[in-house]
Amino acid sequence: HSIAQEVVGLFCMILLTLTALVANIVVMVIILKTPLFRKFIFVCHLCVVNVLSAIFLMPLGIISSSSCFNWVIYSIAECKAVIFLNICFISASILTISIISVERYYYIVHPLRYEVKMTIRLAVAGVIFIWVKSVLITVLALVAWPHGNGATSASRCTVYWSPGAHKKVFVIFFSITCFILPTIIILAVYSSIYRVARTASLQQAPVPAQAVAPRHRCDSIASQVTILTARILMLPRLIPDRLLGSNKAILTLVLIVGQFLCCWLPFFAFHLHSSVTVGTVGGGHGEMVVTWIAYSSFAINPFFYGLLNRQIREELARLRRSCLNRPLGQEFCLSISEVSVQENFLQFLE
């Protein structure tokens, strides 16, 4: 039974790693290949972080999590490198998702301000800020790390390997800066976006007057039946049609926020509990499970932030047809207004 569990677990970890690698590369190539998609710069950056995680971080996670690699021994320097990659890529991914949510807030709630202020220089500054903050947080984790020629097994190479109050303080600081604050930002901005979408759905055009009340009275039986049928069919649909847009909007936003919380809440809750509970040391099967739940975010992100996008999906279909030498039929053309991130996300909510 344990061998079967080990095989299934190893297969799932490899499948997640390959999915993260392929899906993120596909989305990233589509964005970089299409000039009109350059506004998706933060989505592209998120894909870059996920690809780096799939290449460097997730294979190390497989080594640390599977008993097939119990023979792997890390030196102190190698363990430091593993911790550095872990914290740095996790921080960069979550911070990028937070910036994407803020960007969406501005181009939906304040579109004119977004068009004026959202420049390439600002986007590059945002990317630099993400990496500088991620590296600084990682450096704090390695402060007071033991020196020398010691070694540890791959499964024990976690932030808890070096015990002491410093590690507990760091875990609390890491959880606040990289999860609690980003979660508050994401919930606040998506709540504002939902209110805008709900207001827009309630401002839909009313049912045409001729469908509710005829312009002239006709006493014929056929006319009365037509009027009665129109009233029966149209009036009960007036309120549901207005609420349909808000229901789709809240479902979309719940999926986006729910995916973020499902992936990262167990990870940070586990580490916070391990750091504040007296006598509790992290590691073991529980840490492996929550770590891979968090790593699954690297494979899910390209679908939620890339492939759910209508323009990216259609461009992917066009490229697939061209690669298979199939007739393209009607070419897929994008105007500047159609590729606008603002319009796309509103269509996504609708």
Side-chain angles (χ1 to χ4, degrees):
H1 182 63
S2 61
I3 294 178
Q5 285 183 335
E6 187 69 29
V7 171
V8 171
L10 185 60
F11 173 78
C12 292
M13 290 185 288
I14 294 175
L15 181 62
L16 274 177
T17 303
L18 293 178
T19 302
L21 186 63
V22 174
N24 283 285
I25 288 178
V26 168
V27 174
M28 186 171 58
V29 168
I30 290 175
I31 294 175
L32 294 177
K33 182 179 181 296
T34 309
L36 294 179
F37 287 169
R38 297 300 166 82
K39 283 190 175 183
F40 295 97
I41 183 170
F42 288 114
V43 176
C44 184
H45 178 260
L46 180 62
C47 291
V48 171
V49 176
N50 294 335
V51 168
L52 292 175
S53 301
I55 294 175
F56 298 105
L57 183 59
M58 298 177 78
L60 294 174
I62 294 176
I63 295 174
S64 301
S65 303
S66 177
S67 60
C68 299
F69 301 96
N70 285 339
W71 52 272
V72 177
I73 302 297
Y74 287 148
S75 65
I76 290 181
E78 292 169 340
C79 191
K80 283 183 178 181
V82 172
I83 298 299
F84 180 89
L85 293 175
N86 216 317
I87 297 175
C88 187
F89 288 154
I90 287 176
S91 302
S93 178
I94 295 178
L95 291 175
T96 305
I97 292 174
S98 302
I99 290 184
I100 290 175
S101 65
V102 173
E103 184 195 25
R104 285 178 169 178
Y105 169 80
Y106 271 99
Y107 63 59
I108 290 178
V109 180
H110 304 290
L112 297 180
R113 187 183 305 175
Y114 170 81
E115 292 295 336
V116 172
K117 294 187 176 182
M118 188 58 196
T119 61
I120 296 297
R121 180 178 298 180
L122 181 61
V124 172
V127 172
I128 294 175
F129 166 78
I130 290 171
W131 285 107
V132 169
K133 185 175 181 180
S134 300
V135 171
L136 289 178
I137 292 174
T138 308
V139 170
L140 290 177
L142 300 179
V143 172
W145 201 267
H147 299 280
N149 296 321
T152 183
S153 64
S155 60
R156 294 187 66 249
C157 185
T158 68
V159 72
Y160 299 101
W161 178 43
S162 177
H166 167 75
K167 293 299 177 286
K168 294 183 178 181
V169 172
F170 169 75
V171 171
I172 296 174
F173 172 78
F174 178 54
S175 301
I176 293 175
T177 57
C178 291
F179 178 72
I180 296 178
L181 291 180
T183 300
I184 293 174
I185 293 173
I186 290 172
L187 289 175
V189 297
Y190 280 129
S191 297
S192 300
I193 292 174
Y194 164 69
R195 286 195 295 268
V196 172
R198 186 174 182 274
T199 302
S201 68
L202 294 177
Q203 293 175 350
Q204 290 178 0
V207 179
Q210 61 270 20
V212 178
R215 293 183 179 179
H216 62 278
R217 182 175 180 83
C218 182
D219 294 331
S220 66
I221 296 177
S223 298
Q224 291 179 3
V225 170
T226 302
I227 295 171
L228 181 60
T229 303
R231 289 179 176 178
I232 292 175
L233 294 178
M234 299 299 293
L235 288 178
R237 294 177 57 188
L238 178 59
I239 295 178
D241 282 346
R242 287 187 172 185
L243 295 178
L244 183 61
S246 62
N247 289 337
K248 289 184 178 181
I250 194 171
L251 176 61
T252 301
L253 298 178
V254 165
L255 286 175
I256 293 174
V257 177
Q259 176 263 332
F260 176 81
L261 292 178
C262 288
C263 290
W264 295 109
L265 181 59
F267 178 83
F268 285 96
F270 174 86
H271 286 288
L272 274 175
H273 178 267
S274 299
S275 63
V276 301
T277 304
V278 179
T280 302
V281 179
H285 182 72
E287 184 175 6
M288 183 267 291
V289 172
V290 299
T291 298
W292 276 98
I293 292 176
Y295 285 174
S296 67
S297 175
F298 301 137
I300 297 174
N301 286 338
F303 295 94
F304 274 83
Y305 296 93
L307 295 178
L308 281 181
N309 180 285
R310 180 176 60 84
Q311 281 83 19
I312 292 180
R313 283 203 315 272
E314 292 180 351
E315 179 67 13
L316 177 62
R318 190 188 70 81
L319 292 176
R320 180 174 59 85
R321 288 193 299 266
S322 62
C323 291
L324 295 176
N325 294 323
R326 294 180 179 177
L328 295 180
Q330 183 179 3
E331 289 292 332
F332 170 61
C333 299
L334 287 175
S335 64
I336 298 297
S337 60
E338 285 176 338
V339 80
S340 169
V341 184
Q342 175 187 350
E343 289 185 2
N344 174 73
F345 191 63
L346 285 174
Q347 291 167 359
F348 185 40
L349 291 180
E350 290 169 1

